[in-house]
Amino acid sequence: MPVTSPYHLIDAAFILQLTEILGEANVFTDSQVLDNYSHDETEDLRYQPEVVVKPADTAQVSAILKLCSSAYVPVTPRGGGTGLSGGALPVYGGVLMSMERFKSIIEIDTENLQATVEPGVITEEFMNAVAAEGLLYPVDPSSKGSCFIGGNVAHGSGGPRVVKYGTIREYILNLEVVLPNGDVIWTGANTLKYASGYNLTQLMIGSEGTLGVVTKIVTKLIPRTQHNVVLLGSFLENEAACAAVSAIFRAGIIPSALEFMERKGVEWVIRFDDIKFDLKDNVKAFLMIELDGDDLDMIFKDVEKVNEVLESHGCTEVLFADTAAQKEDLWRMRRVMAESVKSNSVYKEEDTVVPRAALPQLINGVKEIGARYGFESVCYGHAGDGNLHINIIKGDMSDEDWKYKLKEGIVEIFQLTAKLGGTISGEHGIGLVQREFMPLKYSEVHLNLMRGIKRVFDPDLILNPGKIF
Amino acid sequence: MPVTSPYHLIDAAFILQLTEILGEANVFTDSQVLDNYSHDETEDLRYQPEVVVKPADTAQVSAILKLCSSAYVPVTPRGGGTGLSGGALPVYGGVLMSMERFKSIIEIDTENLQATVEPGVITEEFMNAVAAEGLLYPVDPSSKGSCFIGGNVAHGSGGPRVVKYGTIREYILNLEVVLPNGDVIWTGANTLKYASGYNLTQLMIGSEGTLGVVTKIVTKLIPRTQHNVVLLGSFLENEAACAAVSAIFRAGIIPSALEFMERKGVEWVIRFDDIKFDLKDNVKAFLMIELDGDDLDMIFKDVEKVNEVLESHGCTEVLFADTAAQKEDLWRMRRVMAESVKSNSVYKEEDTVVPRAALPQLINGVKEIGARYGFESVCYGHAGDGNLHINIIKGDMSDEDWKYKLKEGIVEIFQLTAKLGGTISGEHGIGLVQREFMPLKYSEVHLNLMRGIKRVFDPDLILNPGKIF
């Protein structure tokens, strides 16, 4: 899908300058590598870069950006390539900057409960390193086994434990950032409080690599809780399961995860992943609830309260998992759901988020819109946050309908989301694929503020162009 | 202290336009009112506005800003007037816009655990209204009885409970904001997760009224914990008390408050507030620790762990408060400390913040710098966050030394703070009085990004000019 580009094309002299900065071994122009970096996990989209570079330190990133700025060549930074909104796709070609060599966990500071880490560290590896010190870094997107913490920062990532522990926003204290012109700043301070002018740390989080390239990350850590249990509740209707969600919080419980899964998602997981699970005929939806804490008695008291809420909302069966293997089985079911759906059909994922009590209206609305436009959907997600991932299945839909008619349906979904007080993306970002829908939620005045901020950081618009707005 | 102003002076025709927007009853030019609004709680600074206006709704704020933009008249928004960095001082005269009529708690949504509130609501009144629904809004600055929630948003306020519950950043979901040209936007969505472009909500928080005027606030709420207890530990040395702080967290405890108080602060409180407290001769510093939770047994287990840590750090005595009256007595001591110091002498407050394990180095450094420059200081603050309020006492210092020599000492304090990984302000903001120190921590590149953002929102620089940079 070629795009008319206002940027300069890369020539041999430019490649030579890149190799002077990085050495030949870290500059790639062969078509196999270009292919590998032409896609992320977003639908079936492909955009080929002209060159792939793999810097290893801040000075190299700075030199590359300086070079690209002066040559008017676009740069697309890339983390683990697990994004679902096309944020890492080099829409205008140019330089694809992979951060995969930024692999160092520089320090885990057990005195201050902080860590300093490079952006190319895989999230789960970081979590494990921190856990080995008895500490918790709770930001665990489903892709934690392959995504990079730098990509998590770029997307303001969430994951199942947001509901108790907050998004990545609450764990990032300070960032080293290379600006598009090559200048380097630290955005803030290594402190839990910060009231020293505009909060550039928070502005960078979720900016999807359009304002600067993050080269070091200082995170907050917290003490690790000692115990957790997982419940899986079965429901005969989507709506009943969704209605139970806000009731759990009203009962005074803050679970460490509260996930919704539609029957079809579970069916596809069973087929895809060969998971053993006794799926009852009449069950239509599930809630998976994790409760954690330092005292098992307290957890069991909460389990009782949750059971009462589930029962009063029509839950027909509760599975209880307290061994590591049982818990992992349930979590695995949830984690491989996106992949399972993808293995069945081309699909589009919408990452809607609403105030949690509006979930029943959202899911009913999605199904009603689907019925009118003739598409099937599989819904699941972080229900405790009101965050519902809607996987729309191409299935037997014609290419024509998939391209044009479906879009009207998606517009209606986003309009409903906005009407319910929500927005277009909870944790996957806008990137390339949701960009066109931004005006459904945000006024031109609002979008112009974003564009203005972009120009302050990147006046030549060379960094990750074509994204967000 | 007049400042040369680039702005237009206000004339009778302009006042008439204001009265057309607001009615005569809400436009004030008499000198008594102008005097009342010429200061906040920052040192002894006074700047007189030309007119004070009291809008009551978003449309009026919009009309005023539109008028001021077209007339090139500066506007200084004002909350409760409790600021400690001069953020509400109308340095260039012009219009002082008091938000005191924005007094409505619009909704407490117990389904979604959210509230919508106007910026002129007093923080403590909001907390009480929320508590009546069994919920917690935990952002309680010491001035909670008189500060406005809008001012808290503007300053990114903290308070003692940040250490467990996070700053106001973690509780603000969405803001209605009037831009300097009169345009109105909502910055985000009423959701717990948000990954839809640059996070303007987070950018507004802590922007000190320089980017827009907040007219509605959507907050997150959490279930209220059932119980808490307060401990007061006595130490023979500042350093020992500060060293105990990070040890408490390393023991796996997250207290709901962890405050440090120097002996002199307690002495002045006893005199100022007539508090009964048996202050032992050899005690030099105190840690006040609050532990909260839903289960008293769990809290008492934590109390034991805390006691062990305190003892191993040389704590000589622990007072234990579990009745409401005992707890309030201890908290009152901490809360009136700033006022007590102020009642004794002209003073300057520095709101330093460092990683918490660096507190001993910070407090030793402050005393050493004070000894060299000949100033006395009283230190106290939210030690659990590494946030130390340093009250520098004028006492017998000459006006000359107070004005010039002291500044060099303050520069050294901030340089030390930065060296320790911290910054200039943890929760009081930069405002007017810390502005000149920003280059000690932030490069010109960094400050230019802030200035650029300011111009995106406020190209004519009419909103709260003279603040931050």
Side-chain angles (χ1 to χ4, degrees):
Chain A
M1 206 191 294
V3 167
T4 313
S5 168
Y7 298 98
H8 291 166
L9 287 173
I10 290 175
D11 58 17
F14 184 88
I15 298 288
L16 190 65
Q17 286 175 286
L18 286 175
T19 57
E20 278 163 13
I21 296 167
L22 294 164
E24 268 182 43
N26 297 302
V27 179
F28 303 85
T29 53
D30 54 297
S31 64
Q32 185 55 54
V33 175
L34 299 185
D35 257 13
N36 292 346
Y37 288 86
S38 70
H39 59 89
D40 57 11
E41 293 294 324
T42 311
E43 304 169 19
D44 52 348
L45 300 176
R46 287 186 171 261
Y47 293 86
Q48 192 128 322
E50 294 163 72
V51 59
V52 171
V53 297
K54 301 184 181 176
D57 62 35
T58 306
Q60 289 180 347
V61 172
S62 171
I64 294 166
L65 287 175
K66 210 166 165 179
L67 172 65
C68 291
S69 273
S70 65
Y72 197 45
V73 166
V75 181
T76 304
R78 179 184 172 99
T82 59
L84 294 164
S85 59
L89 299 176
V91 183
Y92 294 103
V95 173
L96 188 296
M97 188 191 286
S98 170
M99 300 303 283
E100 67 199 69
R101 293 175 68 210
F102 280 76
K103 281 198 149 337
S104 169
I105 297 175
I106 298 168
E107 187 191 12
I108 296 176
D109 172 357
T110 55
E111 292 281 305
N112 285 304
L113 307 195
Q114 297 182 0
T116 305
V117 57
E118 289 190 328
V121 173
I122 288 175
T123 304
E124 192 167 30
E125 289 176 7
F126 178 57
M127 296 179 77
N128 291 342
V130 159
E133 303 286 344
L135 298 172
L136 177 64
Y137 172 77
V139 187
D140 60 342
S142 293
S143 56
K144 64 182 177 183
S146 50
C147 63
F148 291 176
I149 189 167
N152 297 167
V153 171
H155 283 267
S157 286
R161 293 193 171 80
V162 167
V163 65
K164 176 167 180 178
Y165 293 106
T167 71
I168 196 168
R169 282 195 184 283
E170 303 181 18
Y171 294 89
I172 302 301
L173 301 179
N174 203 357
L175 296 168
E176 185 185 69
V177 172
V178 184
L179 301 173
N181 70 357
D183 285 342
V184 181
I185 63 167
W186 278 95
T187 54
N190 297 359
T191 55
L192 297 168
K193 283 176 170 174
Y194 185 84
S196 302
Y198 304 152
N199 197 308
L200 301 189
T201 310
Q202 289 294 328
L203 184 59
M204 285 302 302
I205 297 169
S207 65
E208 304 191 23
T210 64
L211 299 180
V213 176
V214 171
T215 44
K216 287 193 193 79
I217 300 164
V218 180
T219 75
K220 168 178 144 178
L221 305 171
I222 53 178
R224 199 152 61 111
T225 52
Q226 300 300 310
H227 308 286
N228 65 46
V229 300
V230 178
L231 310 179
L232 186 76
S234 304
F235 293 83
L236 304 183
E237 297 297 337
N238 285 332
E239 192 179 350
C242 288
V245 171
S246 64
I248 289 170
F249 293 87
R250 289 204 309 283
I253 311 282
I254 303 188
S256 51
L258 206 179
E259 300 288 310
F260 169 83
M261 294 180 286
E262 218 182 340
R263 177 191 181 90
K264 183 149 294 254
V266 175
E267 279 175 1
W268 286 8
V269 164
I270 292 171
R271 246 179 295 158
F272 173 78
D273 200 56
D274 197 27
I275 281 180
K276 305 265 170 291
F277 183 76
D278 176 23
L279 182 58
K280 304 270 164 48
D281 284 346
N282 60 346
V283 169
K284 213 153 155 218
F286 298 92
L287 288 184
M288 193 166 107
I289 302 144
E290 185 188 89
L291 300 164
D292 76 352
D294 287 329
D295 187 274
L296 266 177
D297 291 343
M298 280 294 287
I299 294 178
F300 286 120
K301 276 185 202 169
D302 283 353
V303 167
E304 275 172 40
K305 284 192 214 169
V306 169
N307 273 333
E308 277 169 34
V309 173
L310 293 179
E311 206 172 302
S312 70
H313 282 77
C315 176
T316 54
E317 187 183 11
V318 181
L319 292 184
F320 178 82
D322 65 349
T323 70
Q326 289 168 339
K327 288 186 277 189
E328 174 52 24
D329 278 354
L330 290 182
W331 269 117
R332 179 158 179 80
M333 191 155 84
R334 169 64 189 86
R335 270 204 307 274
V336 300
M337 198 157 282
E339 219 180 326
S340 307
V341 173
K342 200 169 182 173
S343 74
N344 275 271
S345 165
V346 168
Y347 79 117
K348 275 187 201 295
E349 168 147 10
E350 311 305 338
D351 172 38
T352 58
V353 60
V354 294
R356 71 169 79 93
L359 271 178
Q361 288 157 275
L362 177 62
I363 196 154
N364 284 344
V366 167
K367 297 299 173 183
E368 185 272 324
I369 293 164
R372 271 194 287 117
Y373 286 90
F375 62 78
E376 204 190 323
S377 62
V378 183
C379 297
Y380 53 88
H382 314 302
D385 307 309
N387 187 194
L388 194 70
H389 301 322
I390 303 166
N391 287 188
I392 300 172
I393 313 300
K394 183 161 183 287
D396 302 328
M397 217 178 202
S398 72
D399 289 353
E400 184 79 6
D401 278 0
W402 183 247
K403 198 161 173 195
Y404 300 106
K405 195 174 161 198
L406 173 60
K407 190 167 288 175
E408 295 169 42
I410 294 174
V411 165
E412 283 205 36
I413 290 175
F414 285 144
Q415 283 168 336
L416 174 63
T417 308
K419 203 181 102 189
L420 294 172
T423 188
I424 291 170
S425 175
E427 55 178 22
H428 295 170
I430 300 306
L432 177 66
V433 296
Q434 308 303 4
R435 188 173 60 144
E436 63 182 316
F437 302 111
M438 285 288 274
L440 295 175
K441 170 76 186 173
Y442 302 101
S443 66
E444 199 55 20
V445 168
H446 194 124
L447 294 172
N448 277 335
L449 291 175
M450 291 194 196
R451 291 184 189 113
I453 292 167
K454 167 72 174 171
R455 283 194 178 270
V456 169
F457 283 75
D458 184 16
D460 299 322
L461 307 179
I462 63 143
L463 196 59
N464 207 3
K467 307 298 164 62
I468 303 182
F469 31 68
Chain B
M1 207 193 292
V3 167
T4 314
S5 169
Y7 298 98
H8 291 166
L9 287 173
I10 289 176
D11 58 19
F14 184 87
I15 298 289
L16 189 67
Q17 285 175 287
L18 286 175
T19 59
E20 277 163 13
I21 296 167
L22 294 164
E24 270 183 41
N26 297 303
V27 178
F28 303 84
T29 53
D30 54 297
S31 63
Q32 183 57 53
V33 174
L34 299 186
D35 258 13
N36 292 345
Y37 289 85
S38 69
H39 59 89
D40 57 11
E41 294 293 323
T42 311
E43 304 169 17
D44 51 348
L45 299 177
R46 287 186 171 262
Y47 292 86
Q48 192 129 321
E50 293 164 72
V51 59
V52 171
V53 297
K54 301 183 180 176
D57 62 34
T58 305
Q60 289 180 348
V61 171
S62 171
I64 295 165
L65 288 176
K66 209 165 167 179
L67 173 63
C68 291
S69 273
S70 65
Y72 197 45
V73 166
V75 181
T76 305
R78 179 185 173 97
T82 59
L84 294 165
S85 60
L89 299 176
V91 182
Y92 294 103
V95 173
L96 187 296
M97 187 191 285
S98 170
M99 300 303 282
E100 67 198 70
R101 292 174 67 210
F102 279 78
K103 279 198 152 336
S104 171
I105 297 174
I106 297 167
E107 189 191 12
I108 296 175
D109 173 355
T110 55
E111 293 281 304
N112 285 303
L113 308 196
Q114 296 182 1
T116 306
V117 57
E118 289 189 328
V121 172
I122 288 175
T123 304
E124 191 167 31
E125 289 176 7
F126 179 56
M127 295 178 78
N128 291 342
V130 159
E133 304 287 345
L135 298 172
L136 178 64
Y137 172 77
V139 186
D140 61 343
S142 293
S143 57
K144 65 182 178 183
S146 50
C147 63
F148 292 176
I149 189 168
N152 298 165
V153 171
H155 283 268
S157 286
R161 291 192 174 79
V162 167
V163 65
K164 177 166 179 176
Y165 293 106
T167 71
I168 196 167
R169 282 195 185 281
E170 301 180 19
Y171 293 89
I172 302 301
L173 301 178
N174 203 357
L175 297 168
E176 184 186 69
V177 172
V178 184
L179 301 172
N181 69 357
D183 285 342
V184 181
I185 63 166
W186 278 94
T187 54
N190 298 357
T191 54
L192 297 168
K193 282 176 171 177
Y194 185 84
S196 302
Y198 304 151
N199 196 309
L200 302 189
T201 310
Q202 289 294 329
L203 183 59
M204 285 301 303
I205 298 169
S207 66
E208 305 193 21
T210 64
L211 298 180
V213 176
V214 170
T215 46
K216 286 194 193 79
I217 300 164
V218 179
T219 74
K220 168 178 147 179
L221 305 171
I222 54 178
R224 198 151 61 110
T225 52
Q226 301 300 309
H227 307 287
N228 65 47
V229 299
V230 179
L231 310 179
L232 186 76
S234 303
F235 292 83
L236 304 185
E237 297 297 337
N238 285 332
E239 193 179 349
C242 288
V245 170
S246 64
I248 289 170
F249 293 87
R250 289 205 310 280
I253 311 282
I254 302 189
S256 51
L258 206 179
E259 300 288 309
F260 169 82
M261 295 181 285
E262 219 182 338
R263 176 191 182 91
K264 184 150 291 257
V266 175
E267 279 175 2
W268 287 7
V269 164
I270 291 172
R271 248 179 292 158
F272 173 78
D273 201 56
D274 197 27
I275 280 179
K276 306 262 170 296
F277 183 75
D278 177 23
L279 182 57
K280 303 271 164 45
D281 284 347
N282 59 346
V283 169
K284 214 156 153 215
F286 298 91
L287 287 184
M288 193 165 108
I289 301 143
E290 187 188 87
L291 300 165
D292 77 352
D294 286 330
D295 186 274
L296 267 178
D297 291 342
M298 280 295 287
I299 293 177
F300 285 119
K301 275 185 205 169
D302 283 353
V303 167
E304 273 171 45
K305 283 192 215 169
V306 169
N307 274 332
E308 276 169 35
V309 173
L310 293 179
E311 207 172 303
S312 70
H313 281 77
C315 177
T316 54
E317 187 184 10
V318 181
L319 292 184
F320 178 81
D322 65 348
T323 71
Q326 289 168 340
K327 288 186 277 190
E328 174 53 24
D329 278 354
L330 290 183
W331 269 117
R332 181 161 178 77
M333 191 155 86
R334 169 64 188 84
R335 270 205 306 276
V336 300
M337 198 157 282
E339 220 180 325
S340 307
V341 173
K342 200 170 183 173
S343 74
N344 275 270
S345 166
V346 169
Y347 80 118
K348 276 189 201 295
E349 167 146 10
E350 311 306 338
D351 173 38
T352 57
V353 62
V354 294
R356 70 169 80 94
L359 272 179
Q361 287 156 277
L362 178 62
I363 196 155
N364 283 345
V366 168
K367 298 299 173 184
E368 184 272 324
I369 293 165
R372 271 195 286 117
Y373 285 90
F375 64 78
E376 204 187 323
S377 62
V378 182
C379 296
Y380 52 90
H382 314 301
D385 307 309
N387 187 194
L388 193 71
H389 302 322
I390 303 166
N391 288 187
I392 300 172
I393 313 301
K394 182 161 185 291
D396 302 328
M397 217 180 204
S398 71
D399 289 354
E400 185 79 4
D401 278 0
W402 182 247
K403 199 162 172 193
Y404 299 107
K405 194 174 161 198
L406 173 61
K407 189 166 292 175
E408 294 169 44
I410 295 175
V411 165
E412 283 205 35
I413 289 175
F414 285 144
Q415 282 168 337
L416 174 64
T417 308
K419 204 181 101 189
L420 294 171
T423 187
I424 291 171
S425 175
E427 56 178 21
H428 295 170
I430 299 305
L432 177 65
V433 297
Q434 308 303 5
R435 189 173 60 143
E436 63 182 315
F437 303 111
M438 285 287 273
L440 295 175
K441 170 77 186 170
Y442 303 100
S443 67
E444 198 57 19
V445 168
H446 194 123
L447 293 173
N448 278 336
L449 291 174
M450 291 195 196
R451 293 184 188 112
I453 292 168
K454 167 71 175 172
R455 283 193 180 272
V456 169
F457 284 74
D458 184 16
D460 299 322
L461 308 180
I462 64 143
L463 197 58
N464 207 5
K467 307 298 163 60
I468 303 183
F469 32 68

